Amino acid sequence: MERILLYPAGIPQREAFLEARRQGLHIVTCDRDPDSPCFALADEAFAVDPGDERAFLEFVTSYHARAPLSGILLVAADIPVPYAKAAAAVGLPALSPGAAALTVDKLASKRVLREAGVPVPEFWSVESAEDVASALAETGARMIIKPNDNCGARGISLLEPGSDVERAFAHARANVKQAGVILERFEPGVQISIEGLEHEGEVYVTGFADRNYEYLDRFFPHVIENGATMPTALAPAQREEVEALFARAVKALGRPPISAEITVAVKGFVFVPSASYLRAWRGCDGREPAHPRGRGLGLS
């Protein structure tokens, strides 16, 4: 029986656990919460924090030495660097540590994408409120300010000339995990949420939805997303263009599983990477299942 490390073990991972059980895999899991709900679905469960790089690496290498793993699967959690390093240490397939690091560094990933010819919003690394004010004055455009290495709308504000840049910069900086605050031009247009992964050279789109941001003016400067709409309102040809751009970006970033936004703007498409993880959805975007097994891809 193949033995996999599938983690973490919260509610968002439940579908992945059920699929692994259907496939007859021996499931090893870990989570920092000793009462994690999916511990009951695993064959072996350990109270280890998978976000603690040193502790997780020690756990994986010691476990693999006594009971070899066939694979490691991180699902619905934005902690790709410890995962990539642990997989590399025991010789299991995964995205490279370098690719993993790019997915949690917005500035670095945007530089890589720009060099690869993938369109991204104009952006700045800002170290003070004065830097923010200067960029706003120079462009006269709406901007988004956010932590360089966080997600889930933490620390994000929408800015325009005359905004309280001191408050916005302090809010972004307070939500930085390690280093960096990024300012980027706000690109109006239809915003698409797209997710997928690369397998044997082909990029598979596993989720596609139109994001709803109709309350940006009402709740300014806060960025509120009012859910998403499926199926997309884009014409088939536009969707194909979005998916082609997404595939280019995935390959430029080292082929990690990616969750991203693409804005269908007046002047074309703009790519905004947001995270790297595989979701455990089951659903439909109006055309095909949003789960990887809908494309014939197993979890092992």
Short mmCIF file of all heavy atoms in Angstrom, two decimals, residues 71-110:
data_model
loop_
_atom_site.label_atom_id
_atom_site.label_comp_id
_atom_site.label_asym_id
_atom_site.label_seq_id
_atom_site.Cartn_x
_atom_site.Cartn_y
_atom_site.Cartn_z
N GLY A 71 4.74 9.87 -1.35
CA GLY A 71 4.48 11.24 -1.80
C GLY A 71 4.09 12.13 -0.65
O GLY A 71 3.73 11.66 0.43
N ILE A 72 4.20 13.43 -0.89
CA ILE A 72 3.79 14.44 0.09
C ILE A 72 2.82 15.38 -0.61
O ILE A 72 3.11 15.90 -1.70
CB ILE A 72 5.00 15.23 0.62
CG1 ILE A 72 6.01 14.29 1.28
CG2 ILE A 72 4.55 16.30 1.63
CD1 ILE A 72 7.27 15.00 1.79
N LEU A 73 1.67 15.62 0.01
CA LEU A 73 0.65 16.47 -0.60
C LEU A 73 0.21 17.54 0.40
O LEU A 73 -0.37 17.23 1.44
CB LEU A 73 -0.55 15.64 -1.05
CG LEU A 73 -1.65 16.38 -1.79
CD1 LEU A 73 -1.12 16.97 -3.10
CD2 LEU A 73 -2.84 15.48 -2.06
N LEU A 74 0.49 18.77 0.06
CA LEU A 74 0.04 19.94 0.82
C LEU A 74 -1.22 20.46 0.16
O LEU A 74 -1.22 20.77 -1.03
CB LEU A 74 1.13 21.01 0.83
CG LEU A 74 0.74 22.41 1.32
CD1 LEU A 74 0.38 22.37 2.81
CD2 LEU A 74 1.88 23.39 1.08
N VAL A 75 -2.30 20.60 0.92
CA VAL A 75 -3.59 21.00 0.34
C VAL A 75 -4.16 22.21 1.09
O VAL A 75 -4.24 22.22 2.31
CB VAL A 75 -4.60 19.83 0.41
CG1 VAL A 75 -5.97 20.28 -0.10
CG2 VAL A 75 -4.11 18.65 -0.41
N ALA A 76 -4.53 23.24 0.32
CA ALA A 76 -5.29 24.38 0.84
C ALA A 76 -4.62 25.06 2.02
O ALA A 76 -5.27 25.43 3.00
CB ALA A 76 -6.71 23.96 1.19
N ALA A 77 -3.32 25.26 1.93
CA ALA A 77 -2.58 25.97 2.98
C ALA A 77 -1.40 26.68 2.33
O ALA A 77 -0.67 26.08 1.54
CB ALA A 77 -2.11 25.02 4.07
N ASP A 78 -1.21 27.92 2.68
CA ASP A 78 -0.19 28.75 2.02
C ASP A 78 1.14 28.66 2.76
O ASP A 78 1.66 29.64 3.28
CB ASP A 78 -0.69 30.20 1.98
CG ASP A 78 0.16 31.07 1.07
OD1 ASP A 78 0.80 30.52 0.16
OD2 ASP A 78 0.19 32.30 1.27
N ILE A 79 1.69 27.44 2.81
CA ILE A 79 2.98 27.20 3.47
C ILE A 79 3.84 26.31 2.57
O ILE A 79 4.27 25.22 2.96
CB ILE A 79 2.79 26.56 4.87
CG1 ILE A 79 1.76 25.41 4.81
CG2 ILE A 79 2.39 27.60 5.90
CD1 ILE A 79 1.62 24.67 6.13
N PRO A 80 4.13 26.77 1.34
CA PRO A 80 4.81 25.90 0.38
C PRO A 80 6.29 25.69 0.61
O PRO A 80 6.85 24.70 0.15
CB PRO A 80 4.57 26.62 -0.95
CG PRO A 80 4.49 28.06 -0.57
CD PRO A 80 3.77 28.08 0.75
N VAL A 81 6.96 26.62 1.31
CA VAL A 81 8.41 26.50 1.43
C VAL A 81 8.83 25.31 2.30
O VAL A 81 9.68 24.51 1.88
CB VAL A 81 9.03 27.82 1.93
CG1 VAL A 81 10.53 27.64 2.17
CG2 VAL A 81 8.80 28.94 0.90
N PRO A 82 8.28 25.14 3.51
CA PRO A 82 8.63 23.94 4.28
C PRO A 82 8.30 22.65 3.54
O PRO A 82 9.06 21.67 3.60
CB PRO A 82 7.79 24.07 5.56
CG PRO A 82 7.54 25.54 5.69
CD PRO A 82 7.39 26.04 4.29
N TYR A 83 7.18 22.65 2.83
CA TYR A 83 6.79 21.48 2.03
C TYR A 83 7.84 21.15 0.97
O TYR A 83 8.28 20.00 0.85
CB TYR A 83 5.43 21.76 1.38
CG TYR A 83 5.17 21.03 0.08
CD1 TYR A 83 4.88 19.67 0.08
CD2 TYR A 83 5.21 21.72 -1.13
CE1 TYR A 83 4.64 19.00 -1.12
CE2 TYR A 83 4.96 21.05 -2.32
CZ TYR A 83 4.68 19.70 -2.31
OH TYR A 83 4.44 19.05 -3.50
N ALA A 84 8.25 22.16 0.21
CA ALA A 84 9.21 21.93 -0.87
C ALA A 84 10.56 21.46 -0.33
O ALA A 84 11.19 20.57 -0.90
CB ALA A 84 9.38 23.21 -1.69
N LYS A 85 11.01 22.05 0.76
CA LYS A 85 12.31 21.67 1.33
C LYS A 85 12.26 20.26 1.90
O LYS A 85 13.23 19.50 1.76
CB LYS A 85 12.72 22.68 2.39
CG LYS A 85 13.10 24.04 1.81
CD LYS A 85 13.64 24.98 2.88
CE LYS A 85 14.11 26.29 2.26
NZ LYS A 85 14.66 27.23 3.27
N ALA A 86 11.15 19.90 2.53
CA ALA A 86 11.04 18.56 3.10
C ALA A 86 11.00 17.51 1.99
O ALA A 86 11.65 16.47 2.08
CB ALA A 86 9.80 18.46 3.98
N ALA A 87 10.23 17.78 0.93
CA ALA A 87 10.16 16.83 -0.18
C ALA A 87 11.52 16.64 -0.84
O ALA A 87 11.93 15.52 -1.17
CB ALA A 87 9.13 17.31 -1.21
N ALA A 88 12.24 17.74 -1.01
CA ALA A 88 13.58 17.66 -1.61
C ALA A 88 14.52 16.85 -0.72
O ALA A 88 15.36 16.08 -1.21
CB ALA A 88 14.14 19.06 -1.83
N ALA A 89 14.39 16.99 0.59
CA ALA A 89 15.29 16.31 1.53
C ALA A 89 15.13 14.79 1.47
O ALA A 89 16.10 14.05 1.70
CB ALA A 89 15.04 16.80 2.95
N VAL A 90 13.92 14.32 1.16
CA VAL A 90 13.70 12.87 1.12
C VAL A 90 13.54 12.35 -0.31
O VAL A 90 13.19 11.18 -0.53
CB VAL A 90 12.46 12.48 1.97
CG1 VAL A 90 12.70 12.82 3.43
CG2 VAL A 90 11.20 13.16 1.46
N GLY A 91 13.80 13.21 -1.29
CA GLY A 91 13.82 12.79 -2.68
C GLY A 91 12.46 12.50 -3.29
O GLY A 91 12.35 11.68 -4.20
N LEU A 92 11.44 13.19 -2.83
CA LEU A 92 10.10 12.99 -3.39
C LEU A 92 9.74 14.14 -4.33
O LEU A 92 10.20 15.27 -4.16
CB LEU A 92 9.07 12.90 -2.26
CG LEU A 92 9.17 11.63 -1.41
CD1 LEU A 92 8.22 11.69 -0.24
CD2 LEU A 92 8.89 10.39 -2.26
N PRO A 93 8.91 13.88 -5.32
CA PRO A 93 8.57 14.93 -6.30
C PRO A 93 7.75 16.04 -5.66
O PRO A 93 6.84 15.80 -4.87
CB PRO A 93 7.75 14.18 -7.36
CG PRO A 93 7.23 12.96 -6.66
CD PRO A 93 8.28 12.59 -5.65
N ALA A 94 8.10 17.27 -6.01
CA ALA A 94 7.40 18.46 -5.50
C ALA A 94 7.93 19.65 -6.27
O ALA A 94 8.89 19.54 -7.04
CB ALA A 94 7.65 18.63 -4.00
N LEU A 95 7.31 20.80 -6.08
CA LEU A 95 7.90 22.00 -6.66
C LEU A 95 9.24 22.27 -5.96
O LEU A 95 9.46 21.85 -4.82
CB LEU A 95 6.98 23.20 -6.50
CG LEU A 95 6.77 23.84 -5.13
CD1 LEU A 95 6.16 25.23 -5.29
CD2 LEU A 95 5.85 22.99 -4.26
N SER A 96 10.14 22.95 -6.66
CA SER A 96 11.46 23.21 -6.09
C SER A 96 11.35 24.24 -4.97
O SER A 96 10.42 25.05 -4.95
CB SER A 96 12.39 23.74 -7.17
OG SER A 96 12.01 25.06 -7.55
N PRO A 97 12.30 24.23 -4.01
CA PRO A 97 12.29 25.26 -2.97
C PRO A 97 12.33 26.67 -3.55
O PRO A 97 11.71 27.58 -3.00
CB PRO A 97 13.55 24.94 -2.16
CG PRO A 97 13.70 23.45 -2.31
CD PRO A 97 13.30 23.17 -3.73
N GLY A 98 13.05 26.85 -4.66
CA GLY A 98 13.10 28.17 -5.27
C GLY A 98 11.76 28.61 -5.80
O GLY A 98 11.34 29.77 -5.64
N ALA A 99 11.04 27.70 -6.46
CA ALA A 99 9.70 28.02 -6.96
C ALA A 99 8.75 28.28 -5.81
O ALA A 99 7.90 29.17 -5.88
CB ALA A 99 9.18 26.88 -7.83
N ALA A 100 8.88 27.51 -4.74
CA ALA A 100 8.03 27.71 -3.57
C ALA A 100 8.26 29.09 -2.97
O ALA A 100 7.31 29.79 -2.59
CB ALA A 100 8.31 26.63 -2.53
N ALA A 101 9.52 29.51 -2.89
CA ALA A 101 9.83 30.81 -2.32
C ALA A 101 9.21 31.94 -3.14
O ALA A 101 8.76 32.96 -2.60
CB ALA A 101 11.34 30.99 -2.22
N LEU A 102 9.19 31.77 -4.46
CA LEU A 102 8.59 32.81 -5.32
C LEU A 102 7.11 32.99 -5.03
O LEU A 102 6.59 34.11 -5.12
CB LEU A 102 8.77 32.43 -6.79
CG LEU A 102 10.11 32.72 -7.45
CD1 LEU A 102 10.08 32.25 -8.90
CD2 LEU A 102 10.43 34.21 -7.40
N THR A 103 6.42 31.93 -4.70
CA THR A 103 4.98 32.02 -4.52
C THR A 103 4.58 32.73 -3.23
O THR A 103 3.40 33.06 -3.05
CB THR A 103 4.32 30.62 -4.53
OG1 THR A 103 4.74 29.88 -3.38
CG2 THR A 103 4.67 29.87 -5.80
N VAL A 104 5.51 32.97 -2.34
CA VAL A 104 5.21 33.72 -1.11
C VAL A 104 6.00 35.02 -1.07
O VAL A 104 6.17 35.62 -0.01
CB VAL A 104 5.47 32.87 0.15
CG1 VAL A 104 4.44 31.76 0.27
CG2 VAL A 104 6.88 32.30 0.16
N ASP A 105 6.47 35.47 -2.22
CA ASP A 105 7.21 36.74 -2.33
C ASP A 105 6.66 37.49 -3.54
O ASP A 105 7.05 37.23 -4.67
CB ASP A 105 8.70 36.45 -2.50
CG ASP A 105 9.56 37.71 -2.45
OD1 ASP A 105 9.06 38.80 -2.82
OD2 ASP A 105 10.75 37.60 -2.09
N LYS A 106 5.72 38.39 -3.30
CA LYS A 106 5.03 39.07 -4.40
C LYS A 106 5.99 39.88 -5.26
O LYS A 106 5.88 39.91 -6.49
CB LYS A 106 3.92 39.95 -3.84
CG LYS A 106 2.78 39.19 -3.19
CD LYS A 106 1.73 40.13 -2.62
CE LYS A 106 0.52 39.37 -2.09
NZ LYS A 106 0.84 38.47 -0.97
N LEU A 107 6.93 40.57 -4.63
CA LEU A 107 7.88 41.39 -5.39
C LEU A 107 8.73 40.52 -6.30
O LEU A 107 8.90 40.81 -7.49
CB LEU A 107 8.75 42.20 -4.44
CG LEU A 107 8.08 43.40 -3.76
CD1 LEU A 107 8.90 43.88 -2.58
CD2 LEU A 107 7.87 44.54 -4.77
N ALA A 108 9.29 39.45 -5.75
CA ALA A 108 10.15 38.57 -6.54
C ALA A 108 9.37 37.91 -7.67
O ALA A 108 9.86 37.81 -8.81
CB ALA A 108 10.80 37.52 -5.65
N SER A 109 8.16 37.44 -7.39
CA SER A 109 7.38 36.76 -8.43
C SER A 109 7.00 37.72 -9.55
O SER A 109 7.03 37.36 -10.73
CB SER A 109 6.14 36.12 -7.83
OG SER A 109 5.25 37.08 -7.30
N LYS A 110 6.67 38.95 -9.20
CA LYS A 110 6.33 39.93 -10.24
C LYS A 110 7.53 40.26 -11.11
O LYS A 110 7.41 40.46 -12.33
CB LYS A 110 5.75 41.19 -9.61
CG LYS A 110 4.29 41.06 -9.19
CD LYS A 110 3.77 42.34 -8.60
CE LYS A 110 2.25 42.31 -8.45
NZ LYS A 110 1.76 41.20 -7.63
#
